Amino acid sequence: MDYFDYRDGELWVEAVRIKDLANRFGTPLYVYSKKTLVRHFQAFDTALKGLKHLTCFSVKANGNVNLLRLMGGLGAGVDIVSGGELFRALKAGIDPKKIVFSGVGKQAHEIREALKTDILMFNVESAQELERIGRIAAEMNTTARVSIRINPDVDPKTHPYISTGLKKNKFGLDVLEATGAYLLAKATPSVEPVGIDCHIGSQLTQLGPFVEALKKLLAFADRLQSSGVDIRYLDLGGGLGITYSEETPPLPADLGRSIAETLAERKDLTVILEPGRAIAGNAGILVTQVLYTKKTSAKNFVIVDAAMNDLVRPSLYGAFHRIGEVTPRERKPILVDVVGPICESSDFLAQDRLLPALEPGEVLAVFSTGAYGFSMSSQYNSRPRAAEVIVDGDQATLARRRETYNDLIALES
Ligand code: LLP
């Protein structure tokens, strides 16, 4: 459930009119609802209440420092995949003891930075990475806590670009290789194996794949125990899907219940989840203005001021995002493509969509864009990135100012 709704003939976020935000901050504009973010985080925390647990918000979904600070204040940890994300998390005051570091290509400087801040653990994705972490930790006279990321070969039944737990994916190690990695970790004094990790994919709309992966992890944990490796953490990654259109994904509570049931005898383990989309996705919208409408012999185009540089999901994954007027009027719907100003035909926010016959100057909301919206944005076509605003009740705070033309060239010598 989110706090964007139509009341009195217009779209509101909490107690603020979207139209007023568009006037005050300009468009394109990302708008986040604090109440929604809090509610979604707490849904995960409550779902895992009966278990020892840590909810680590996945920074890649939305790395705005203000949003991360909000998460940290609620007790969240974070899942990071780069030194840049570590930097953001620390700036936001996230407790390093609640930071897990995933990703297949951690660089030496990133490993050093994470060791220096003494993060909770590295989720290790290859034997070479394990060796490198061990060597760097030894040089720094410290111990690296690690989990090995298992690739359980489970089909998450989602878009191929965001499936990560299949044998053919670059992520993690299969159970055979992982066994070797744990034995290596155990034999390396500068490394302490403390957990098992997996993340099978994103935008999952069924519980089955989560449970299947969890069962494989638990069976593996048992085998490890008999080889003398005792783990304390079970990191199941993120991936819970959201409703973009007609999907009916399980709720965090459903996931929590399944995890609790499946864990049965292993309630000693601390469960870590790394949700990104399920917390932030429906807590944000992209506000954009119609520039022109154009009718060709083949199509009706609505040209708006947001483009694939602001929201790449439709172009990259063929993703669906609901689009609605900020001030709806009764009009005959027509079939349109909603496109941006960028000079390529992959620049669309919606294709063949039934929308009311829109007019220049109208403001639209592109829904479900709080995750992987701004964080995947770019300056392509030298378009300054959009501003971001967080709304709390009747207050709107600029969380990131709109970029300027000078920002575009600031790093060029
Ligand atoms: N943990 C790890 C190790 C991950 O790789 C991911 C996402 C997450 C957690 C968070 O997953 P979530 O709960 O948000 O599904 N750009 C794509 C999504 C890429 C997801 C990559 N990994 C999109 O816009 O759909």
Side-chain angles (χ1 to χ4, degrees), residues 357-409:
L358 297 162
E359 287 165 20
E362 281 193 65
V363 180
L364 306 176
V366 186
F367 289 93
S368 313
T369 49
Y372 307 108
F374 187 89
S375 67
M376 295 180 80
S377 68
S378 76
Q379 296 174 333
Y380 186 40
N381 275 210
S382 287
R383 290 169 47 86
R385 261 177 284 234
E388 295 176 285
V389 165
I390 299 182
V391 169
D392 179 10
D394 59 2
Q395 296 300 312
T397 311
L398 191 62
R400 192 182 203 269
R401 67 162 171 80
R402 184 175 305 286
E403 289 181 358
T404 63
Y405 291 151
N406 273 321
D407 289 328
L408 294 178
I409 59 162

Side-chain angles (χ1 to χ4, degrees), residues 193-209:
V194 293
I196 304 186
D197 168 55
C198 87
H199 168 82
I200 55 174
S202 203
Q203 183 56 13
L204 271 67
T205 52
Q206 298 168 28
L207 279 180

Side-chain angles (χ1 to χ4, degrees), residues 58 60-61 79 81 102 149 162 164 199 201-203 237-240 244 274-278 313 317 371-372 376:
S58 194
K60 65 175 82 64
D79 156 55
V81 290
S102 313
R149 178 167 174 177
I162 52 177
T164 50
H199 168 82
S202 203
Q203 183 56 13
L240 196 62
Y244 284 101
E274 302 171 354
R277 189 190 318 264
R313 301 194 71 257
Y317 314 113
Y372 307 108
M376 295 180 80

Side-chain angles (χ1 to χ4, degrees), residues 54 56 76-78 80 86 89-101 113-122 145:
L54 178 61
C56 289
V78 293
I80 59 164
L86 175 63
L90 296 175
K91 281 281 178 205
I94 301 290
D95 179 356
K97 280 278 151 30
K98 294 183 177 176
I99 298 180
V100 296
F101 191 172
E113 288 150 16
L115 284 171
K116 206 162 124 215
T117 46
D118 201 21
I119 61 163
L120 176 60
M121 68 174 109
F122 293 86
R145 284 174 293 275

Side-chain angles (χ1 to χ4, degrees), residues 59 80-90 101 109-110 113:
V59 176
I80 59 164
V81 290
S82 69
E85 290 192 349
L86 175 63
F87 179 78
R88 283 184 175 279
L90 296 175
F101 191 172
H109 73 89
E110 296 174 316
E113 288 150 16

Side-chain angles (χ1 to χ4, degrees), residues 47-199:
L48 297 176
K49 214 170 52 197
L51 301 167
K52 287 197 276 181
H53 72 274
L54 178 61
T55 306
C56 289
F57 177 68
S58 194
V59 176
K60 65 175 82 64
N62 191 322
N64 188 291
V65 174
N66 297 284
L67 197 144
L68 298 181
R69 194 175 296 119
L70 168 66
M71 288 293 139
L74 298 170
V78 293
D79 156 55
I80 59 164
V81 290
S82 69
E85 290 192 349
L86 175 63
F87 179 78
R88 283 184 175 279
L90 296 175
K91 281 281 178 205
I94 301 290
D95 179 356
K97 280 278 151 30
K98 294 183 177 176
I99 298 180
V100 296
F101 191 172
S102 313
V104 293
K106 300 177 194 74
Q107 300 174 60
H109 73 89
E110 296 174 316
I111 295 168
R112 244 176 255 121
E113 288 150 16
L115 284 171
K116 206 162 124 215
T117 46
D118 201 21
I119 61 163
L120 176 60
M121 68 174 109
F122 293 86
N123 288 333
V124 176
E125 307 228 11
S126 67
Q128 287 180 8
E129 183 197 331
L130 183 64
E131 280 166 32
R132 178 172 282 189
I133 291 174
R135 207 162 47 239
I136 296 174
E139 278 162 24
M140 291 173 70
N141 269 324
T142 187
T143 309
R145 284 174 293 275
V146 302
S147 287
I148 306 294
R149 178 167 174 177
I150 307 293
N151 182 325
D153 196 24
V154 166
D155 185 356
K157 303 195 168 62
T158 183
H159 191 287
Y161 287 7
I162 52 177
S163 295
T164 50
L166 285 168
K167 218 181 334 196
K168 64 180 179 195
N169 300 133
K170 68 179 172 182
F171 300 96
L173 294 174
D174 68 30
V175 284
L176 210 65
E177 293 163 331
T179 309
Y182 275 101
L183 294 178
L184 174 64
K186 194 160 184 272
T188 310
S190 56
V191 168
E192 184 193 1
V194 293
I196 304 186
D197 168 55
C198 87
H199 168 82

